[in-house]
Amino acid sequence: MGRKGKVTFSVVCFLAAILLGTGAAQATVIDDRLGGSVYWGGKYMNIKPSGYGDVIGRRSAVDRMEVTMNHDIMTVKITGPYFSNYVHNIKRTQDALPGDLYISSTGWKVGGSPPHTGDIFEASEGWDYVVSLENKKVYALKFSDVIMTSALPYGNKYRAHQAWRGGYGEVLDDAVVSLTDSGLTFIFSVRNLRLKNEIGLHWTMKCGNDIVEGSVLIPRSR
């Protein structure tokens, strides 16, 4: 089947998954709340991490990433106060743009011990796919084209060298992406991705204010 046929079939799968829902699927959660399996990430710029902990600012927190699998359709939903702040605050909308979803097909390889305050986003960690928020596509990752986190137009406190957007190599499939004040959801087929039983996931906003990253055993349908 050619590329056009594959993409059309993918859209049909997405619509079917949305209509049927994921109630019959198992869920795996990466808990990003303090006291959970929180990941901080390194490369703080112009700020001491010990004074702020998981987030640079106090408002833009991400609480969790929930992953479900319904047959070969994966749903990744990221939730927390950040999304309501982003949607309803015009200045924050300009400053702290949400990022893409990055995937490591061979597990989560991270340096140091929790909360990994020295870890940055590196090719050696095995990241090899990205799901684009804006383009709504799944891509093979071109690491040299990844756009890393950077200082905001209105400030200079941020985490550097954390993947934010980009790195779009070969298009592998379509995705359904929705952003509301309750969270950010990515829905996509994994049939064209070579995933092991355990994968790594990474997401952050433009400033790297709060990063959710961790390991997921791929949940299977009951």
Side-chain angles (χ1 to χ4, degrees):
M1 184 180 291
R3 176 72 64 187
K4 183 177 179 180
K6 181 175 72 174
V7 170
T8 301
F9 177 73
S10 176
V11 172
V12 172
C13 286
F14 294 147
L15 292 176
I18 292 170
L19 291 173
L20 292 174
T22 56
Q26 295 175 313
T28 300
V29 173
I30 297 174
D31 189 348
D32 198 59
R33 297 169 298 180
L34 291 177
S37 55
V38 62
Y39 171 88
W40 291 5
K43 275 271 191 173
Y44 279 74
M45 303 300 291
N46 306 312
I47 196 168
K48 294 181 179 180
S50 60
Y52 289 83
D54 181 36
V55 294
I56 294 176
R58 296 181 181 274
R59 295 183 59 196
S60 298
V62 176
D63 289 340
R64 56 190 270 151
M65 176 186 285
E66 182 175 292
V67 184
T68 57
M69 182 76 81
N70 195 341
H71 301 288
D72 67 351
I73 302 298
M74 180 176 286
T75 300
V76 179
K77 184 170 184 179
I78 309 162
T79 56
Y82 161 79
F83 297 99
S84 180
N85 293 338
Y86 172 83
V87 169
H88 296 294
N89 186 311
I90 294 175
K91 182 179 179 181
R92 188 170 300 280
T93 299
Q94 296 170 343
D95 289 358
L97 298 171
D100 295 334
L101 178 69
Y102 292 86
I103 303 170
S104 168
S105 64
T106 56
W108 187 45
K109 304 176 182 69
V110 59
S113 57
H116 308 289
T117 54
D119 182 72
I120 59 176
F121 194 89
E122 299 183 282
S124 61
E125 294 178 333
W127 303 104
D128 47 8
Y129 299 111
V130 56
V131 186
S132 169
L133 186 156
E134 288 193 332
N135 299 337
K136 296 178 174 55
K137 303 285 184 184
V138 182
Y139 298 89
L141 184 63
K142 185 178 180 182
F143 196 91
S144 60
D145 289 350
V146 172
I147 303 171
M148 300 295 180
T149 51
S150 63
L152 303 178
Y154 304 101
N156 59 1
K157 298 176 180 178
Y158 69 106
R159 284 185 180 93
H161 211 77
Q162 298 287 348
W164 168 56
R165 284 187 183 178
Y168 310 140
E170 179 188 1
V171 177
L172 301 177
D173 227 321
D174 284 329
V176 172
V177 184
S178 61
L179 173 62
T180 68
D181 58 3
S182 64
L184 173 62
T185 302
F186 298 87
I187 304 174
F188 53 96
S189 172
V190 302
R191 71 182 181 280
N192 294 320
L193 310 186
R194 297 180 179 179
L195 303 182
K196 302 293 186 181
N197 290 334
E198 181 179 0
I199 63 174
L201 295 171
H202 165 101
W203 180 90
T204 190
M205 62 286 288
K206 184 177 181 181
C207 60
N209 187 21
D210 192 6
I211 302 164
V212 55
E213 185 177 304
S215 174
V216 172
L217 292 174
I218 296 181
R220 301 296 182 184
S221 299
R222 292 192 180 98

